[in-house]
Amino acid sequence: MDMTRLLPRLRAVIETLIALLLAAMVALTFADAIGRCLFGAPIYGAHDITEHLMALVVFAACRSSRSAERI
């Protein structure tokens, strides 16, 4: 496979991953807030999981933005 075709596909995969991670963070925070308010039972470790997801999003987005500068 040609590199000129591989890099845009790889970038699209990374951008999709970023979007999925952001959606997971939103869903986890929403479910944690609903569980805390309505049922008095928050999701155990939700804050830590959200922090790890944020780190993944930041570092993946840094790589994606760096590759956008070179195109």
Side-chain angles (χ1 to χ4, degrees), residues 4-21:
T4 57
R5 291 177 37 203
L6 179 67
L7 290 178
R9 286 185 182 181
L10 182 61
R11 184 171 177 208
V13 168
I14 291 173
E15 289 173 353
T16 302
L17 176 66
I18 292 169
L20 291 173
L21 290 173

Side-chain angles (χ1 to χ4, degrees), residues 3 8 17 19-20 23 27-28 33 38 41 43 45 49-51 54 58 66:
M3 250 339 204
L17 176 66
L20 291 173
L28 179 61
L38 295 181
I43 297 173
I49 294 168
T50 302
E51 286 179 353
M54 181 60 71
V58 167
R66 292 283 299 167

